[in-house]
Amino acid sequence: MKYLYILMIVLLGGACNKILDAGQPTGKVTSTTVYENNATAIAAINGIYSTMSSGGSITGNKGLSFLCGLSADEFALQTVDFIQQALYQNTLVAGDVDCWQDFYNYIYQANLVLEGLEKSQSLKEGIRRQLKGEALFVRAFSYFCLVNLYGDVPLLLGTDYKYNAVQPRTALLTVYAQVVTDLDNAIAILSGDFLGADVESISTDRLRPTTWSAKALLARVYLYTGEYEKAIKAADTVLNKKYLFDTVPLADVFVKSSKEAIWQLEPVKNKYTEEGYLFLVDTLAICSKSLLAAFEPGDNRMQSWTLNGYPFKYKNTSPVDNPLEYLMMIRVGELYLVHAEANAHLKNLDGALADLNVIRKRAGLTSVTAGTQEQILNAIMQERRVELFSEWGHRWFDLKRGGNIDEVMKMKTSSWQAYQQLYPLTEYELKANPYLKQNTGY
Amino acid sequence: MQFLIPGSFQVLTFYICAFVLTCGPQQVYGQYSGYKITINAQDVTLKTVFEEIQRQTKLIIGYSNDKLNQDVKVNASYCRWPLEEVLADLLIKRGFIWKIDTNGIAIREGKPDEQILQYQRKLDQGIKEIMWHRNLDEIVVNGYKITTILLNTGNTVPAVRAPGIKPQFQQTGNILNQLQGPVTGLQISMSGGMLGTAIDIKIRGQLSLMNSTMPLIVVDGVPVKSQITDGLGSTIWGAVASALAYINPADVESIDVLKDADATAIYGSRGANGVIVITTKTARKGPGRLSLNVKTGIANVPRRYHLLNTQEYLDMRRKALINDKILPTAQNAPDLLTWDTTRYTDWQKELIGRAAKFYNMQSAFTGGNDTTQYYVGTNYQKNGTVFPGDFYQEGWGVHLNASRGAPTQRLHLGGSWSYFNIHSFLPSSDFINYIFLPPNTPPAYIDNELNYSWVNPYIGLVGPLFTANVHNRFGNFVAQYRVRKGLELKLLLGDQLLKGSSKTIMPIAMIAPSVRSGATGSMTLYHYEAGSTIMEPQITYADSIGDLKLDMLIGGTYQGAMESRTTMVASGYKDDGHYDNLAYADSISATNYKSLYKYLAAYGKIGFNYKGKYLVNLSVRRDGSSRLGIRSRYATFGGIGAGWIFFKEHLIDSNLKVLSFGKVRVSYGSTGNDQVGDYQYTDEYSPVNNYQNGYALSPNSLANPDLAREKTRKLELALDLGFWNDRLMVSACYYLYRSTNQLASYPLPTMVGINNIVGNIPAVIRNNGWELEMRTQNLTTANFSWSSVVNMTIPKNKLLSYPGSDANSNYLLVGKPVGSVFVYKSEGVDKQTGAYVFSDGHGNTVAANENLSRSYWINKSPTYYGSIQHTFMYKRWRLDMLFVYVKTMGLTDLYDRVYAPGMQRNQDKHAIAGIWDNTGETAMHQRLTVGTYRTSYLKMLESNMAYVDCSYLRCQSITLSRRLPLRKLHLEDGNVYVQSQNLFTITPYKGLDPETQSRSKLPLLRSFNIGIQIQI
């Protein structure tokens, strides 16, 4: 019996795995076949953009612009929906909002692409490099959002569900370090031109991340981590590409393929942006009194970017054959302010003012000419508030990193407590992964 | 209901009493001495046979050497034959007679007297061949090994044995039908009466939470496809059509059902659900013999609904409108206002009331010499339907078998090949769906033209129409080489190809001529193919050391299987004449799917037999299956079986004369279930909205490299006893199965990317139960015999644990049988409102629109089931009866799933009996409604009210045959017979069929046929 068993093991050793390989099912798409072909490999990364642009945490009534705007002092609530009420009153409980799931889904898709590309032998090298860069970029973008929403988060870089399902949180700085690594790697391989659907031809659309998109995001990350010199260096390379990137008149900022855009997403669900629909048709939220009051007299943005108190950056809400507007993911305006803020921190006050005044000038405001470092930093934060309102929760993140969140939020919600600046995880998540701990306070 | 539980036990008790009265130990066995002879030897001398008889009986045989040539070669195959009949067989034709006394057998030349001629007659009548008791030397399969019932340490039920030609075995339809009844522990439910509809089969209960309970089915060594996935796109067969309908029952020689660990562990990853081993007919040595079997008959729907006549129907409708305070208009009540209220159509009779004619013809020719044998079988069959119109299923097939190699030669070669095809022309949807039409519908035809002014079921004769062709061919080749005595090498190569194609046409003619302009027709083509190839090398070795006999087997299996499905929809046909030409279609779209399955195994088996009394059998298999994740492809399974044939012990033999047979068996082992679906371990992408005008794909399921088999550990204890020379044989068996590693969709943290995965969870399902069988020879005289077999299975099933089961899985609660349904608890009809009310799960009675919880569970698995068989023989007459019974709960088919009573559909009288009528009396059914109270009606369908006792006792088959006077007609063998299947069903169930429990599928049909079979 024993010999028989040994014989069997010999018979069925590793060599048998080949015999047992049943290949891939025809008529279904699996990760093994997806990355063997240029078109399907591109489709896999398109799937991430398509998922992002369809809603979830990226855009619409569950998007960061709306959620974080409610949490901060940007919006006044127009509905009685209890979750939106809880966001607005900063009384979230576990399970109310779940950006976690969405961003980790993008990360999973990106990791799947990265693993698939690693194994693939048959893709065009150019395409393979670009897709890898895009996947790294998407992963970095998602982790950036996650840490700013949740603090420490598990750092997952593969797709093995068994490993991933039991990971505890990773320290915020380690996550940021990975974000920087991913962006550096992406910068090295991403195209310098905006590419078309075939990922080879150059396109007027700015729908695929470029090396500049990665640099712009990197500049933002360095600003957040306080590495100002690096932030300036990263931002410079983008801002110096004047033929590609520049400020445009206020009314043209959010239209598709605007020169302002460093990365945009195409609205795939409808032929208009979910953001436009949210503020103009759903009208769930209106700009708060404090936000409206923050606009200086004569600020053209008040005229151009709000309508009856509602955010009016995206103007189109009717389906047309060719969408007029794309969802703005990263833009030049923000990058000038990143550049300004980094300069201010490095005491290059003239440089900071020059950057700031680019934005003020476009808005029809007078230039700020002098001030102390603190005054200039405050002026920049004020400018960020009115330039970047209703976009990506910039205000919420700025308050958190600015250190003045408690005093600002207490003015809005008397019951404000510091722990509320991080969102809670869902009960489901905590139950499914016992190694995860809830954010303190919840 | 009452009648059934006591009923079946009464039947049982009755037999025990009858047995004691008729054939107790006091009875003398007619003119028989009582000796039983078992010899199975070909081509041996008469002398050898006599010596063996002397050894077995301890009688001395005396004869004169001069007169009786004892060197003549004979073929002796006797399985526990009475000594007298053995002697009759050997001696009468040689002109000798005999006399038996206490000392011996004296043989001399002479003419047989009346006494001896009686034995001869019995032989002629063929009583021998249907020995009433289970022949202990009958050959059975125990996982690759051929053994006998006597020496088997595992649980194998020889379910079907069709040696020669026997009308009672000449069943038609799906071969699985024949397993219903005779096999304990095996439960079959048919989903409908049409050939090809799905059959659910469970051996010893539900072993899996999610996956198939289909046993492994092996035909001539080739594991075959048991289901046609997607049923060729047919709605009439259902999503999983049975692929075993395409094996011709007439080609089947035997079916063995393997249940316990000892028999199934050697099937490894595929043995958990049990194994059904089907062996086709093989060639027989001898002069060429032709046998023919022709039968014809009719089949019809055996039971009817008690539907309302026109007057009752109209009363119901009017009452319902008044109840709901709705004024009838031509829109909401055409049946009252537009249609002729004096018309009456019996839709049941019109649509499913016909007698379906069927014909079946089979021929077989077999023969051969010592070295070469051949078998050629052919068959043709045609079945009509009970529907209106000329629908039919027609098929023919061929079965070939040949073998070469004499017993003295080292090399033996053999092969089988079968082909069977069925062409079906059927309506696309079952006409039974229209029998509930109002009885006063307008005429179906006006001036011989179809009437399109209402939803006329006769439009179904025009379209959609379903045509299908299914071809099944399978074959094997076996080479055996004897290296030396006891050591053999064997190689089996086998192959199956099952091909089906179908065409469903939706012609323009289905549309009323008035709106036909601009309409187009469409056609759906479906192609299915499943193939399987197997290669199995084996080495067998047998030896004996003193009293210890030893047999060993080492083997390997490689199997590859393929399944592909292609669907093509061609639409936009502008006229009905060109469906076959795709060029006339405006647009064509197609989808396809193809999967492969590969399987690899090595196995071994060793059996010990000490003194023919102590038996031990060990088996082990290591196998790998491509269905499983890369990290758990391989697994090892093993089993052990042991038996003690204790009646041979001297102590028992000499003290317990009444005991003629006794054996205890125990077996334990592990088996697996890899029927988890192909490629479940891979991730899968689905298309999402295009991005940048380019294709976009998003993953929607996770890869699971750990996807593993479900595992079942099986324990069995069994006791087999025979009394009074085996006139009463009883076997009892207890089994205990624990199935673990269950595959289920379980939750993952969302950070993984996708928040659930199909994987193995440590849920445990326990199946245990008793299987009892009793075989009795109730009465035997020279001309008459009556024997019976009664069996009963008492299964139990319980989900022992399900980690992480929470409120979301309230259909599946720990401690309940798997497959229980959770329903609302009905609290009857509210006296005031007249609507159904329910319990809210907290002791309150609430209306249907309240937040109800499914607080009540119903166990749909049977409490017990079994069968009763009788065989009566009188001279040349023979009567076989098979009854099956089940005690179970199930879904009633009395209530329409869509239309509440009062709406525009006919109702069964029982569904509106005791209806609420505003008197404040307790009502059985809620008020009639045309829609206002439909919500509560639909909730009632989800409540315990919709589940009723579905127990039944069915006369599964009954066959009366008469053996033809062979000599007069110069026949080798022959019978004429009348037969009925599903003759009657005794049940408290009110609808059509307690087995199918469906009002949308044709019930099992009742058939009558006559036939003749001859062998020349």
Side-chain angles (χ1 to χ4, degrees):
Chain A
M1 217 70 238
K2 193 173 152 195
Y3 293 108
L4 192 63
Y5 194 77
I6 292 166
L7 181 72
M8 279 180 196
I9 289 170
V10 173
L11 281 175
L12 293 174
C16 297
N17 275 331
K18 269 222 174 95
I19 303 175
L20 275 191
D21 184 9
Q24 296 299 313
T26 312
K28 283 189 176 183
V29 186
T30 67
S31 50
T32 318
T33 49
V34 160
Y35 303 99
E36 283 168 5
N37 171 308
N38 293 327
T40 49
I42 296 168
I45 203 125
N46 283 354
I48 311 182
Y49 305 139
S50 182
T51 328
M52 283 180 152
S53 159
S54 300
S57 295
I58 299 295
T59 179
N61 64 6
K62 291 200 168 101
L64 290 195
S65 300
F66 181 58
L67 303 187
C68 298
L70 281 174
S71 292
D73 57 354
E74 292 195 276
F75 300 137
L77 199 60
Q78 296 277 89
T79 79
V80 291
D81 178 280
F82 78 93
I83 290 175
Q84 285 159 15
Q85 290 278 354
L87 273 161
Y88 179 63
Q89 292 160 3
N90 303 104
T91 52
L92 283 180
V93 293
D96 282 351
V97 291
D98 192 5
C99 302
W100 179 278
Q101 171 166 6
D102 293 333
F103 283 111
Y104 271 112
N105 178 258
Y106 311 142
I107 290 167
Y108 166 68
Q109 294 194 47
N111 285 335
L112 208 52
V113 170
L114 290 170
E115 286 178 2
L117 293 175
E118 204 60 47
K119 280 183 215 147
S120 169
Q121 304 292 324
S122 47
L123 296 181
K124 273 196 189 170
E125 185 52 24
I127 291 176
R128 209 183 70 85
R129 280 164 63 88
Q130 171 69 14
L131 296 183
K132 183 177 175 190
E134 291 186 24
L136 288 168
F137 174 80
V138 166
R139 185 163 81 183
F141 179 85
S142 304
Y143 274 120
F144 172 81
C145 294
L146 276 174
V147 289
N148 280 289
L149 292 167
Y150 292 98
D152 296 348
V153 295
L155 183 61
L156 310 177
L157 303 174
T159 60
D160 185 343
Y161 77 94
K162 267 201 161 168
Y163 173 86
N164 288 352
V166 293
Q167 291 312 301
R169 291 171 186 253
T170 309
L172 188 110
L173 287 179
T174 317
V175 179
Y176 263 130
Q178 183 63 43
V179 168
V180 170
T181 310
D182 281 352
L183 288 174
D184 281 340
N185 290 338
I187 286 164
I189 52 179
L190 277 172
S191 160
D193 297 306
F194 286 103
L195 297 178
D198 58 2
V199 192
E200 286 181 311
S201 61
I202 294 169
S203 167
T204 52
D205 286 341
R206 302 184 166 210
L207 296 177
R208 311 201 80 89
T210 56
T211 188
W212 318 118
S213 320
K215 286 222 158 142
L217 182 59
L218 186 62
R220 188 198 292 175
V221 170
Y222 280 137
L223 178 72
Y224 274 49
T225 54
E227 293 163 90
Y228 302 117
E229 272 152 14
K230 289 179 177 169
I232 286 172
K233 210 175 140 208
D236 272 342
T237 48
V238 181
L239 293 175
N240 291 340
K241 295 274 168 319
K242 282 278 188 288
Y243 65 93
L244 206 52
F245 305 109
D246 206 349
T247 50
V248 296
L250 291 178
D252 300 336
V253 172
F254 295 93
V255 301
K256 75 172 187 182
S257 313
S258 113
K259 244 182 138 180
E260 174 97 8
I262 303 175
W263 180 36
Q264 289 184 313
L265 278 184
E266 178 189 28
V268 294
K269 213 161 88 183
N270 300 302
K271 293 290 183 181
Y272 47 81
T273 61
E274 300 298 309
E275 301 292 282
Y277 193 86
L278 171 71
F279 292 117
L280 301 176
V281 182
D282 272 353
T283 60
L284 298 177
I286 194 164
C287 292
S288 66
K289 288 205 176 74
S290 63
L291 171 61
L292 292 174
F295 285 96
E296 294 167 50
D299 190 332
N300 288 336
R301 286 173 294 203
M302 184 81 166
Q303 185 66 37
S304 188
W305 287 355
T306 71
L307 180 69
N308 303 326
Y310 290 99
F312 192 48
K313 287 181 167 173
Y314 298 95
K315 301 175 179 10
N316 182 45
T317 57
S318 54
V320 284
D321 278 350
N322 239 334
L324 305 171
E325 293 164 343
Y326 287 162
L327 179 69
M328 188 66 83
M329 303 295 285
I330 304 176
R331 66 184 174 96
V332 169
E334 185 221 340
L335 199 58
Y336 270 107
L337 294 173
V338 168
H339 202 261
E341 195 179 331
N343 266 332
H345 279 292
L346 293 172
K347 301 226 167 93
N348 178 3
L349 301 182
D350 289 344
L353 287 174
D355 294 331
L356 175 65
N357 287 333
V358 172
I359 301 303
R360 286 183 62 85
K361 206 170 139 198
R362 173 168 72 174
L365 296 173
T366 54
S367 297
V368 180
T369 49
T372 61
Q373 185 193 24
E374 194 189 343
Q375 281 168 336
I376 290 172
L377 275 172
N378 284 342
I380 291 168
M381 294 320 278
Q382 151 67 19
E383 203 58 41
R384 284 182 69 91
R385 187 174 184 195
V386 291
E387 173 70 18
L388 301 175
F389 76 95
S390 78
E391 280 185 70
W392 286 107
H394 279 299
R395 170 71 176 165
W396 180 241
F397 294 176
D398 285 348
L399 287 174
K400 294 205 278 187
R401 69 191 173 90
N404 57 339
I405 189 161
D406 290 346
E407 59 192 83
V408 174
M409 292 308 294
K410 280 233 167 81
M411 288 195 289
K412 176 194 167 210
T413 320
S414 54
S415 64
W416 168 262
Q417 286 179 283
Y419 78 82
Q420 289 161 338
Q421 56 183 292
L422 293 181
Y423 285 172
L425 305 190
T426 61
E427 288 295 342
Y428 172 87
E429 198 72 0
L430 297 170
K431 200 175 152 194
N433 178 0
Y435 298 93
L436 275 184
K437 295 280 170 286
Q438 181 62 283
N439 277 327
T440 42
Y442 291 100
Chain B
M1 152 74 281
Q2 277 302 314
F3 69 92
L4 200 68
I5 326 173
S8 46
F9 281 119
Q10 270 166 19
V11 173
L12 213 72
T13 333
F14 170 73
Y15 288 121
I16 295 166
C17 298
F19 172 79
V20 171
L21 287 175
T22 54
C23 54
Q26 73 278 18
Q27 186 175 343
V28 182
Y29 307 129
Q31 296 91 348
Y32 286 87
S33 59
Y35 293 108
K36 292 277 160 80
I37 305 297
T38 300
I39 303 173
N40 195 354
Q42 310 293 322
D43 226 24
V44 291
T45 61
L46 199 54
K47 189 177 175 189
T48 317
V49 175
F50 282 159
E51 281 166 9
E52 183 60 24
I53 293 173
Q54 289 194 40
R55 199 183 67 76
Q56 289 185 20
T57 58
K58 310 274 189 294
L59 293 174
I60 292 160
I61 301 182
Y63 51 90
S64 153
N65 286 355
D66 311 341
K67 300 225 167 106
L68 184 62
N69 177 7
Q70 49 179 321
D71 294 326
V72 66
K73 291 280 177 74
V74 296
N75 288 329
S77 59
Y78 311 116
C79 289
R80 298 175 71 82
W81 281 31
L83 173 62
E84 286 75 6
E85 289 171 23
V86 172
L87 293 173
D89 187 52
L90 290 170
L91 297 176
I92 293 177
K93 56 190 169 202
R94 300 194 162 82
F96 286 80
I97 54 169
W98 70 92
K99 195 173 159 61
I100 302 172
D101 61 26
T102 47
N103 302 320
I105 307 164
I107 295 173
R108 61 181 171 84
E109 227 171 351
K111 286 252 180 268
D113 58 9
E114 189 50 34
Q115 177 73 51
I116 285 176
L117 276 176
Q118 265 196 19
Y119 304 132
Q120 175 71 40
R121 250 178 250 128
K122 283 209 138 182
L123 280 175
D124 283 354
Q125 286 166 10
I127 289 179
K128 199 56 63 285
E129 293 171 50
I130 48 92
M131 293 285 285
W132 48 268
H133 58 67
R134 177 70 90 207
N135 177 356
L136 292 171
D137 297 303
E138 188 175 304
I139 280 168
V140 290
V141 178
N142 176 335
Y144 291 101
K145 196 169 92 172
I146 303 294
T147 177
T148 61
I149 291 178
L150 179 71
L151 297 176
N152 194 3
T153 50
N155 190 332
T156 304
V157 181
V160 172
R161 290 291 183 266
I165 50 167
K166 296 280 166 294
Q168 60 278 12
F169 296 120
Q170 299 298 319
Q171 309 278 354
T172 46
N174 199 309
I175 43 164
L176 289 182
N177 293 4
Q178 302 183 48
L179 302 182
Q180 190 165 27
V183 185
T184 54
L186 182 140
Q187 188 202 347
I188 286 185
S189 346
M190 318 278 286
S191 67
M194 184 72 70
L195 182 65
T197 47
I199 294 182
D200 182 50
I201 176 161
K202 289 188 185 83
I203 296 179
R204 290 181 167 172
Q206 177 94 32
L207 270 56
S208 171
L209 283 177
M210 270 175 59
N211 294 303
S212 174
T213 54
M214 199 71 192
L216 176 68
I217 297 184
V218 179
V219 181
D220 290 341
V222 187
V224 299
K225 195 86 195 151
S226 57
Q227 288 168 341
I228 300 179
T229 321
D230 284 359
L232 286 182
S234 138
T235 46
I236 206 159
W237 284 334
V240 275
S242 177
L244 297 171
Y246 307 99
I247 292 174
N248 179 21
D251 294 338
V252 171
E253 171 89 28
S254 67
I255 303 179
D256 287 274
V257 178
L258 280 59
K259 298 191 281 197
D260 76 332
D262 184 46
T264 61
I266 200 157
Y267 291 95
S269 290
R270 311 195 284 190
N273 289 335
V275 184
I276 295 179
V277 176
I278 299 171
T279 310
T280 58
K281 295 231 158 96
T282 50
R284 272 164 217 279
K285 201 165 76 174
R289 277 180 184 170
L290 177 69
S291 50
L292 295 168
N293 182 16
V294 180
K295 69 174 168 184
T296 179
I298 52 163
N300 64 359
V301 174
R303 289 160 67 99
R304 280 169 61 92
Y305 285 108
H306 301 86
L307 298 179
L308 304 178
N309 65 27
T310 301
Q311 199 48 52
E312 293 161 330
Y313 170 79
L314 296 173
D315 288 349
M316 172 189 81
R317 289 278 295 146
R318 293 190 181 109
K319 184 88 184 293
L321 285 158
I322 293 167
N323 275 353
D324 286 3
K325 299 195 176 62
I326 287 172
L327 283 177
T329 65
Q331 278 72 45
N332 69 22
D335 50 342
L336 296 177
L337 299 184
T338 318
W339 298 351
D340 183 351
T341 51
T342 61
R343 283 185 57 84
Y344 173 70
T345 310
D346 182 350
W347 282 118
Q348 272 190 103
K349 193 175 143 202
E350 289 281 322
L351 298 178
I352 57 168
R354 284 175 174 62
K357 294 196 187 83
F358 65 89
Y359 316 91
N360 193 311
M361 280 162 254
Q362 292 148 18
S363 76
F365 187 66
T366 181
N369 57 23
D370 267 353
T371 53
T372 310
Q373 296 102 38
Y374 55 89
Y375 178 100
V376 183
T378 59
N379 67 85
Y380 167 80
Q381 66 177 61
K382 182 167 181 175
N383 304 328
T385 69
V386 297
F387 303 141
D390 301 320
F391 299 109
Y392 63 90
Q393 293 179 290
E394 184 178 24
W396 63 273
V398 183
H399 173 68
L400 306 173
N401 175 270
S403 61
R404 182 163 178 89
T408 49
Q409 290 173 330
R410 282 172 179 261
L411 184 68
H412 282 233
L413 300 174
S416 283
W417 189 82
S418 296
Y419 171 79
F420 194 47
N421 91 73
I422 293 185
H423 176 78
S424 301
F425 173 57
L426 297 170
S428 185
S429 70
D430 201 323
F431 275 104
I432 197 173
N433 290 299
Y434 300 102
I435 65 173
F436 307 100
L437 284 169
N440 70 324
T441 46
Y445 292 91
I446 299 173
D447 300 334
N448 285 329
E449 293 290 325
L450 259 180
N451 184 357
Y452 290 88
S453 69
W454 58 290
V455 188
N456 181 350
Y458 282 88
I459 295 172
L461 296 182
V462 177
L465 297 175
F466 176 76
T467 323
N469 261 305
V470 181
H471 306 261
N472 190 15
R473 66 163 177 73
F474 51 90
N476 73 0
F477 169 78
V478 183
Q480 263 173 297
Y481 182 76
R482 197 173 64 234
V483 181
R484 60 181 173 84
K485 189 172 177 287
L487 180 66
E488 285 193 5
L489 306 179
K490 186 180 168 189
L491 177 70
L492 170 107
L493 300 172
D495 168 78
Q496 186 204 15
L497 183 64
L498 178 68
K499 260 181 161 172
S501 57
S502 78
K503 179 164 76 175
T504 306
I505 294 177
M506 304 264 285
I508 302 167
M510 286 169 61
I511 301 162
S514 55
V515 291
R516 202 174 282 172
S517 126
T520 57
S522 72
M523 172 175 68
T524 307
L525 294 175
Y526 200 99
H527 185 78
Y528 178 87
E529 220 172 289
S532 166
T533 308
I534 190 169
M535 185 176 78
E536 287 206 315
Q538 280 183 5
I539 304 168
T540 55
Y541 178 70
D543 203 353
S544 52
I545 310 154
D547 283 337
L548 180 70
K549 278 189 196 153
L550 184 92
D551 56 86
M552 275 172 69
L553 177 150
I554 296 175
T557 303
Y558 169 75
Q559 194 202 341
M562 172 278 292
E563 185 180 41
S564 83
R565 308 193 287 275
T566 309
T567 317
M568 184 157 75
V569 181
S571 54
Y573 285 95
K574 306 228 167 25
D575 83 58
D576 280 348
H578 297 105
Y579 286 103
D580 285 335
N581 188 342
L582 288 173
Y584 283 85
D586 255 5
S587 68
I588 295 171
S589 66
T591 54
N592 72 334
Y593 176 77
K594 184 176 175 180
S595 66
L596 294 178
Y597 168 61
K598 292 179 179 185
Y599 176 85
L600 189 68
Y603 52 85
K605 193 157 192 156
I606 184 161
F608 302 95
N609 173 346
Y610 183 67
K611 288 189 169 174
K613 289 191 283 194
Y614 311 101
L615 312 164
V616 175
N617 193 18
L618 299 164
S619 52
V620 59
R621 183 182 194 104
R622 180 162 174 82
D623 63 10
S625 161
S626 69
R627 288 203 180 108
L628 307 169
I630 194 79
R631 294 207 283 249
S632 44
R633 279 225 158 127
Y634 294 94
T636 307
F637 301 91
I640 179 166
W644 176 34
I645 304 172
F646 61 84
F647 84 104
K648 286 190 175 174
E649 297 293 341
H650 180 69
L651 197 68
I652 293 167
D653 202 23
S654 51
N655 292 316
L656 216 62
K657 292 277 188 209
V658 66
L659 195 71
S660 51
F661 177 59
K663 178 167 99 167
V664 281
R665 268 193 311 112
V666 57
S667 71
Y668 180 75
S670 62
T671 52
N673 180 10
D674 78 344
Q675 292 182 50
V676 300
D678 293 323
Y679 302 109
Q680 287 287 307
Y681 57 85
T682 64
D683 51 9
E684 193 186 336
Y685 287 73
S686 299
V688 288
N689 291 322
N690 278 5
Y691 187 76
Q692 213 178 0
N693 287 325
Y695 190 39
L697 287 166
S698 190
N700 55 8
S701 65
L702 285 171
N704 186 352
D706 301 297
L707 191 79
R709 306 151 181 75
E710 297 182 340
K711 284 185 181 154
T712 297
R713 289 184 187 284
K714 302 177 174 182
L715 172 71
E716 169 166 325
L717 302 164
L719 176 67
D720 300 313
L721 296 172
F723 300 95
W724 302 300
N725 220 5
D726 294 355
R727 299 175 78 82
L728 168 67
M729 296 195 80
V730 186
S731 45
C733 167
Y734 176 78
Y735 65 90
L736 175 65
Y737 286 14
R738 278 173 73 91
S739 305
T740 57
N741 220 22
Q742 291 290 323
L743 275 185
S745 175
Y746 66 84
L748 288 175
T750 60
M751 57 191 254
V752 165
I754 287 170
N755 57 7
N756 63 70
I757 191 166
V758 175
N760 304 77
I761 55 166
V764 181
I765 301 172
R766 184 180 70 197
N767 279 282
N768 59 335
W770 287 93
E771 295 169 358
L772 308 167
E773 186 180 79
M774 184 173 77
R775 295 173 172 268
T776 54
Q777 171 69 6
N778 304 320
L779 206 61
T780 317
T781 68
N783 288 325
F784 181 76
S785 83
W786 169 30
S787 58
S788 310
V789 184
V790 182
N791 72 45
M792 177 180 266
T793 305
I794 309 165
K796 283 206 169 53
N797 175 298
K798 193 173 177 180
L799 179 65
L800 290 186
S801 77
Y802 187 101
S805 87
D806 55 16
N808 294 332
S809 52
N810 62 354
Y811 285 81
L812 187 93
L813 284 186
V814 173
K816 305 279 188 296
V818 178
S820 298
V821 282
F822 282 80
V823 294
Y824 305 117
K825 171 91 172 69
S826 167
E827 294 290 343
V829 177
D830 186 280
K831 282 184 189 172
Q832 265 66 51
T833 64
Y836 288 123
V837 284
F838 305 90
S839 160
D840 69 350
H842 308 288
N844 308 313
T845 297
V846 294
N849 53 4
E850 301 275 329
N851 190 14
L852 300 180
S853 74
R854 292 174 184 260
S855 56
Y856 196 83
W857 67 279
I858 286 168
N859 180 5
K860 287 203 299 176
S861 38
T863 318
Y864 58 79
Y865 58 90
S867 71
I868 302 159
Q869 273 173 279
H870 291 292
T871 303
F872 298 94
M873 299 184 57
Y874 176 69
K875 293 190 171 169
R876 292 179 179 276
W877 292 92
R878 174 177 171 140
L879 178 64
D880 286 277
M881 296 194 281
L882 170 63
F883 300 89
V884 296
Y885 61 89
V886 179
K887 164 90 177 118
T888 187
M889 290 287 282
L891 192 65
T892 176
D893 64 3
L894 215 50
Y895 302 117
D896 200 298
R897 306 303 296 180
V898 179
Y899 297 90
M903 299 173 80
Q904 262 186 68
R905 272 292 183 282
N906 208 340
Q907 295 287 343
D908 189 288
K909 280 174 184 161
H910 296 103
I912 57 164
I915 209 116
W916 182 85
D917 62 356
N918 214 358
T919 55
E921 295 293 310
T922 307
M924 208 157 85
H925 291 109
Q926 78 163 20
R927 59 194 292 164
L928 297 170
T929 181
V930 293
T932 315
Y933 288 85
R934 186 162 170 255
T935 314
S936 45
Y937 177 75
L938 294 179
K939 279 270 159 66
M940 179 279 284
L941 294 181
E942 300 281 302
S943 80
N944 57 320
M945 253 186 97
Y947 289 85
V948 297
D949 188 351
C950 291
S951 309
Y952 62 86
L953 172 75
R954 164 173 291 158
C955 177
Q956 180 87 351
S957 74
I958 177 163
T959 307
L960 177 67
S961 61
R962 187 176 191 276
R963 221 166 138 92
L964 293 168
L966 305 179
R967 281 184 199 142
K968 228 180 273 175
L969 296 171
H970 305 288
L971 295 175
E972 201 57 48
D973 202 351
N975 290 290
V976 284
Y977 57 93
V978 287
Q979 209 167 29
S980 173
Q981 291 182 36
N982 193 13
L983 183 62
F984 61 86
T985 304
I986 302 169
T987 174
Y989 193 76
K990 299 241 168 47
L992 284 191
D993 196 324
E995 184 171 345
T996 59
Q997 299 170 19
S998 164
R999 64 194 270 134
S1000 58
K1001 282 257 170 72
L1002 202 64
L1004 306 190
L1005 300 181
R1006 169 172 55 198
S1007 69
F1008 300 95
N1009 65 270
I1010 55 168
I1012 180 166
Q1013 45 183 198
I1014 51 171
Q1015 193 177 74
I1016 42 181

